Amino acid sequence: MFHLRTCAAKLRPLTASQTVKTFSQNKSAAIRTFQQIRCYSAPVAAEPFLSGTSSNYVEEMYCAWLENPKSVHKSWDIFFRNTNAGAPPGTAYQSPLSLSRSSLATVAHAQSLVEAQPNVDKLVEDHLAVQSLIRAYQIRGHHVAQLDPLGILDADLDSSVPADIISSTDKLDLAVFKERLRMLTVGGFYGLDESDLDKVFRLPTTTFIGGQESALPLREIIRRLEMAYCQHIGVEFMFINDLEQCQWIRQKFETPGIMQFTNEEKRTLLARLVRSTRFEDFLQRKWSSEKRFGLEGCEVLIPALKTIIDKSSENGVDYVIMGMPHRGRLNVLANVIRKELEQIFCQFDSKLEAADEGSGDMKYHLGMYHRRINRVTDRNITLSLVANPSHLEAADPVVMGKTKAEQFYCGDNEGKKVMSILLHGDAAFAGQGIVYETFHLSDLPSYTTHGTVHVVVNNQIGFTTDPRMARSSPYPTDVARVVNAPIFHVNSDDPEAVMYVCKVAAEWRSTFHKDVVVDLVCYRRNGHNEMDEPMFTQPLMYKQIRKQKPVLQKYAELLVSQGVVNQPEYEEEISKYDKICEEAFTRSKDEKILHIKHWLDSPWPGFFTLDGQPRSMTCPSTGLEEDVLTHIGNVASSVPVENFTIHGGLSRILKTRKELVTNRTVDWALAEYMAFGSLLKEGIHVRLSGQDVERGTFSHRHHVLHDQNVDKRTCIPMNHLWPNQAPYTVCNSSLSEYGVLGFELGFAMASPNALVLWEAQFGDFNNMAQCIIDQFICPGQAKWVRQNGIVLLLPHGMEGMGPEHSSARPERFLQMCNDDPDVLPDLQEENFDINQLYDCNWIVVNCSTPGNFFHVLRRQILLPFRKPLIVFTPKSLLRHPEARTNFDEMLSGTHFQRVIPEDGPAAQNPDQVKRLLFCTGKVYYDLTRERKARGMAEQVAITRIEQLSPFPFDLLLKEAQKYPNAELAWCQEEHKNQGYYDYVKPRLRTTIDRAKPVWYAGRDPAAAPATGNKKTHLTELQRFLDTAFDLDAFKKFS
Ligand SMILES: Cc1ncc(C[n+]2csc(CCOP(=O)(O)OP(=O)(O)O)c2C)c(N)n1
């Protein structure tokens, strides 16, 4: 309520009594002015209804009333009039009409209060109208701002002028201006008249157009509003629901004369434009038939980015992480990040040999990392441009994740030192859902980077598609409104306006630590790339573009006319830069080899040798001392803080955990706990993120305890293990796979000394993040020589839970493994297993025991290099009484088992074994149960493949050789066209030199991953178990 009253008081133009008083005092004055009453210190008397959330509602209504008194109910109209007329607190409200005598009398009283002062009313209404007008400009001025440099398009896709703004699109035409004023007056919108234009009005506190003045003639008010909101900058901010932030922005754009530049600043801006423009010209001259996705039409991007960086550096930022698409990327590398020009130019040489293994990537996808002095601030600044795929906007969450990690590791809890800048194309920003998903991470405690500056290269076209066909929102930037980010649209042919909004954007970020968008409304001088003919599809637009003077020329002419530079100085600047390019071009011819390593976006100092090799090719034991296991187990089964009440059900879970520890065994949750906890002890940061990971989708984990009596009081026992341990982060994420997996991948990029895990709710949902998997995780190292140790935990298994809760799609991950199914590697090679891991693009495992899961997690960090790890994790095994591991298998000296051989009766007498079944994961338990039931322990051996990729040829060969008389079969619970069969079969055949067939026992091929019918599920299960143990099953095929 206080908020409303304060706000109402602030918004209130004048009270009736005060008006009368002032009017009578000033009646001899040539112009009328009115005193504004500010009631900040007035006692807040109780209105009966102004309490709690109702005040917001009332406030909204007050704003609506200010714009149009008829838009609210009559009773509110009276209330607001009375309030504005100075009715004492508690008396302004009059009950709504009823038939009772007393209420009629009350209404009559209220009306008399209003009607008794007709002149006052007119003055009040005129002031309210002026306020509404000011507000209308603040809200909708951007719709008529002149944003399109071509002057033919509407940046908001709407050519009409909002009905409550006096401005005409052609502001110089007085006749049009008068006509709009007449429409608004005769139409009764404001009740203002042309004759009011010279009356002086007191300005409300919600505007800064007055500068030092507190009152202005209406004509001047309109002129200043037009200057602030309808020129080359369109400010979209009035949706922000924070008054302080709105005021901050108003002050930045409304204050008269605030957009001033010194001659020095103008010259710097010109020099930066010269570099930006001449760089593209140079590339065009040298390689006219090469794609480069030039920046022509938005050359102002380079000075824009440099301004954001300068200003941020001035405010304390020393590390900027950037992500951007193709357009202008080479220019940004050259002129913002300052990659050596010869390194860029040599990329155009088709004869250049690649020095690194892997596919490499196009020049406009590569990343970069560079530390240098910022010449404007004289402070060190590190700039990193994250490598990205063609898939537009996919790098957004990756950049955010890397930024978060860099902030985390340098203790920058408020984003004062590390920040990110994301660049976007207009079509992609509007079209790609990942933009929205990334915005939703921006304010979450474990994901916020404390504000990103977004810059949109809005060339008003996407490849060949017009914006009208590409988006339904007025602007391409509307998605940013969901997080209350201010949006500054700016005409890119006005470089000073661009610099100004960039300065404000950087200041906004350092003041409020929230996202902000700069929308550079520009054009694309060429086709989508330099080979494309744009006239096929946009003939009229391109006719105009052909006539368009380049922005550098326009700005140079302006500065020459202002006497800021002279023509020879300008020409000198151009030839200086051209010479730099020519010299670099000459040097670039000496480059014979292309080192992708020179394009690393995230170096890991000290992790590799100087020439980028692993420091060893061995992996120590992943086991632990027993006392470490016991200690972690004890903490995992306790509540390590005082007076903390946990749920009774959880007490029972912790008690069971304690019993496991006492019995020297672990289940799945405890194994994970021990892996994480021991890494923390060794100084490795562990971060587990995903939907509902804190408790665990299957309620097995419980890493965050909740006090049952105190709201929001939580405890993370994992952070109470050792005094000097590394921190553990466990965070429930937003309901996004694409955004969150991208974010975690970016987090894992920053340091090799962290175990970063993303868990899917069910493995099935990983395909919502397919682009991150396909474009970054699988081929990241091959494309960008960048390793990444991210871990994907994908709950998988056929439990009769239907088509969408059964399969993490192992077949897809396995199909993307880079090992050759038909070539048996040299099994005698020293460190064969580690070499295999080093050569693979990712590791795919399906552990059947908690102990092996523990080992593989620890191995991920103890390896001397980093590879992504895909783990198909179980559901029913989380509680399966047999899915337990004894401490003995986790002690020092023990390792991850790539294959778990048969160790029962069959292994004692291998010659007698008739069938050797290979399997992976949970089906092992179905197979052993069935074998037991059938009494076939001596005839059928079961070997588990725990590491599917890289394929353990060496160990499986031993297994196959051990059972010379056995048929070989692969058994899986998944359908035949899914799961592991297509991956395993050819590799098993290669292992045994194709000496025997490898039979199949499993579900038939199917379109859906699983049935939705429980009975069918069980029937299918029994059918393939029958096949697995029917020793005649394959006879008919042989
Ligand atoms: C996810 C995705 N879909 C399609 C494409 C193909 N494509 C490349 S550029 C482009 C147009 C992008 O337009 P815009 O975002 O406005 O950027 P501009 O090229 O105009 O700078 C398209 C559709 C892509 N790279 N990524």
Side-chain angles (χ1 to χ4, degrees), residues 326-327 390-392 425-429 432 457 459 461-463 524 528:
H326 50 285
R327 178 91 42 224
S390 282
H391 294 53
L392 293 167
D426 53 319
F429 200 49
Q432 293 293 317
V457 174
N459 54 23
I461 190 165
F463 209 146
R524 193 188 67 193
H528 173 61

Side-chain angles (χ1 to χ4, degrees), residues 436-450:
Y436 180 87
E437 292 187 36
T438 309
F439 268 118
H440 266 287
L441 297 176
S442 69
D443 217 13
L444 306 180
S446 297
Y447 302 85
T448 179
T449 54
H450 309 282

